[in-house]
Amino acid sequence: MRLFDYHDNLSTLSIEQFKQAIGLVESYVFRRAICGMQTRNYWQVFANLSYRIDPERPFESLKVGLARLSDSYVFPSDEEFRQALEEGDIFHKRVCFDLLDRLENDGSKEATDTSTYSIEHIMPQNEKLSLPWKRMLGEDRWQEVQREWLHRLGNLTLTGYNSTLSDRPFEEKKTIPRGFSESSVRLNKFVREQKVWTSLEMGRRGIELAGRALEIWPNLVVDKKLIEQARVVEMRERAQRRDVTKVPMTPAARLLFDTLRATIKILDTDVIELAEQKSVSYHGPAFFLEVIPRKYAIGLLLPLDLGEIDDPYGIAQDTSQWKFLVNSVYDGGVYVHVQRESDVDKALPMIHLAREIASA
């Protein structure tokens, strides 16, 4: 509704962009369903997306919003989607019929009415396969092939004659009246062209259908610069809402922090200072420093490797082997323990280096 409002009232979203936007939302939900990703709290995901849409550039901001979703609600990549389509159990997905129906009809001006059709396993589900099937699949490995390939996309199709085809041998499924050879279903064209039906044919068909699915449900393509700009804007907004003076510190730690803070402020006016729950982080625009208050000191966490810094005073510690750092939010390779004001000056070259890398 938010998108439609921008199209219909504000005219900042063209009809073509509106269609693409709806297509992306559908692709997002459908890909996640095929990949078996969690669907809880979608209402919150879409509410947040709606809130983040910029009325001046709705299509771009929607794509950026989709790209910046958390790992739990990530937009599945082509690789993830293809692997799930080719190797996953598609039959037991709630969207299985919808997938097959769309593969059958997408882009066609002569759509097949699939409303009375059902899903057909070309290689039968029956655990007691007939002898012709066992011989075709391999008498020493037919059970393994059936178990691995039964519910995959390559073995599934649509038919109005499920009971007629039943568990018949593959050749009979093709040649009996109303069998695959007479089928008008486009999904069955590949099937009727095959002389046998083994894991090789199922694999080839699965690859072909997965390729078509990637075109029907497109991937999310966004300019990385737009994503970074949105991240920085959001971080600045967060920084304005948070008060650094509210981060808990002892008087000794606060004195050291204020000394360091005054120095960092001189670095660049564009540096973002962000109050975390138990620390303060600095970004320019990438993360380059986290200050972690201790009882009588402060700790400095820097996203550097120990080997790339000049440390004549020997105050830097390598954190690459540490399992965790108490109260830290970010990842870093170097830790400096600051106990006195003179330690701040010693740490400044390392902070400058981290800042330069973050702004590169």
Side-chain angles (χ1 to χ4, degrees), residues 117-155:
Y117 289 5
S118 59
I119 301 171
E120 163 75 4
H121 287 79
I122 302 166
M123 174 183 62
Q125 297 189 73
N126 195 333
E127 293 181 358
K128 297 179 180 180
L129 283 180
S130 63
L131 187 58
W133 270 110
K134 291 179 181 178
R135 288 174 177 169
M136 182 180 293
L137 298 173
E139 294 192 60
D140 59 338
R141 60 187 299 267
W142 67 268
Q143 289 176 306
E144 177 187 343
V145 174
Q146 187 188 41
R147 181 170 55 252
E148 182 177 353
W149 289 91
L150 182 62
H151 299 310
R152 291 189 181 186
L153 178 59
N155 189 50

Side-chain angles (χ1 to χ4, degrees), residues 50-300:
S50 178
Y51 175 75
R52 291 174 181 171
I53 295 176
D54 183 346
E56 297 302 319
R57 49 188 191 95
F59 187 48
E60 283 184 352
S61 57
L62 171 68
K63 292 196 294 182
V64 169
L66 285 167
R68 297 191 64 236
L69 292 172
S70 66
D71 291 342
S72 299
Y73 293 97
V74 69
F75 197 115
S77 66
D78 279 349
E79 182 180 353
E80 292 170 311
F81 189 40
R82 180 184 287 279
Q83 183 176 5
L85 286 164
E86 293 180 10
E87 303 176 12
D89 178 346
I90 299 299
F91 177 67
H92 290 104
K93 301 290 184 186
R94 289 189 297 176
V95 294
C96 179
F97 189 92
D98 302 287
L99 168 63
L100 295 172
D101 174 74
R102 191 74 172 271
L103 288 171
E104 170 67 16
N105 287 315
D106 188 76
S108 175
K109 293 182 179 179
E110 298 179 333
T112 302
D113 181 4
T114 62
S115 59
T116 60
Y117 289 5
S118 59
I119 301 171
E120 163 75 4
H121 287 79
I122 302 166
M123 174 183 62
Q125 297 189 73
N126 195 333
E127 293 181 358
K128 297 179 180 180
L129 283 180
S130 63
L131 187 58
W133 270 110
K134 291 179 181 178
R135 288 174 177 169
M136 182 180 293
L137 298 173
E139 294 192 60
D140 59 338
R141 60 187 299 267
W142 67 268
Q143 289 176 306
E144 177 187 343
V145 174
Q146 187 188 41
R147 181 170 55 252
E148 182 177 353
W149 289 91
L150 182 62
H151 299 310
R152 291 189 181 186
L153 178 59
N155 189 50
L156 303 176
T157 190
L158 294 175
T159 180
Y161 299 98
N162 192 289
S163 58
T164 302
L165 298 173
S166 188
D167 297 337
R168 292 175 184 272
F170 181 65
E171 187 61 28
E172 286 188 28
K173 282 194 168 191
K174 287 202 306 177
T175 58
I176 62 171
R178 302 185 180 90
F180 289 133
S181 294
E182 295 182 0
S183 175
S184 62
V185 177
R186 284 176 285 268
L187 280 173
N188 294 331
K189 180 179 183 296
F190 178 91
V191 181
R192 61 174 172 264
E193 293 173 348
Q194 309 309 307
K195 295 181 179 179
V196 294
W197 196 251
T198 68
S199 58
L200 179 62
E201 287 71 34
M202 288 183 259
R204 285 171 53 202
R205 184 168 178 267
I207 291 172
E208 178 188 320
L209 294 179
R212 287 166 55 188
L214 262 68
E215 295 176 0
I216 296 170
W217 292 279
N219 196 11
L220 177 65
V221 180
V222 194
D223 188 334
K224 291 183 179 179
K225 291 181 180 179
L226 294 177
I227 298 174
E228 178 60 17
Q229 288 172 7
R231 186 189 70 82
V232 172
V233 168
E234 184 178 286
M235 191 182 302
R236 290 191 184 281
E237 291 174 351
R238 246 187 5 254
Q240 291 177 357
R241 294 194 302 267
R242 298 180 183 180
D243 187 352
V244 172
T245 63
K246 298 295 177 60
V247 176
M249 297 185 198
T250 64
R254 178 69 66 181
L255 181 62
L256 290 170
F257 171 71
D258 288 341
T259 300
L260 175 66
R261 186 188 188 200
T263 307
I264 293 175
K265 289 287 188 180
I266 300 173
L267 283 177
D268 193 334
T269 55
D270 286 338
V271 169
I272 302 171
E273 181 183 61
L274 188 59
E276 311 290 351
Q277 188 172 3
K278 294 184 178 180
S279 66
V280 180
S281 62
Y282 291 88
H283 309 259
F287 162 71
F288 71 89
L289 171 66
E290 183 176 11
V291 182
I292 309 166
R294 300 305 186 205
K295 191 170 184 180
Y296 299 111
I298 55 174
L300 310 181

Side-chain angles (χ1 to χ4, degrees), residues 19-35:
K19 291 177 182 177
Q20 290 180 39
I22 297 302
L24 271 179
V25 172
E26 179 195 357
S27 183
Y28 170 70
V29 174
F30 192 84
R31 283 184 174 224
R32 288 183 59 85
I34 291 293
C35 292

Side-chain angles (χ1 to χ4, degrees), residues 300-313:
L300 310 181
L301 183 64
L302 300 152
L304 299 170
D305 292 327
L306 192 64
E308 66 182 335
I309 64 171
D310 182 19
D311 182 24
Y313 303 101

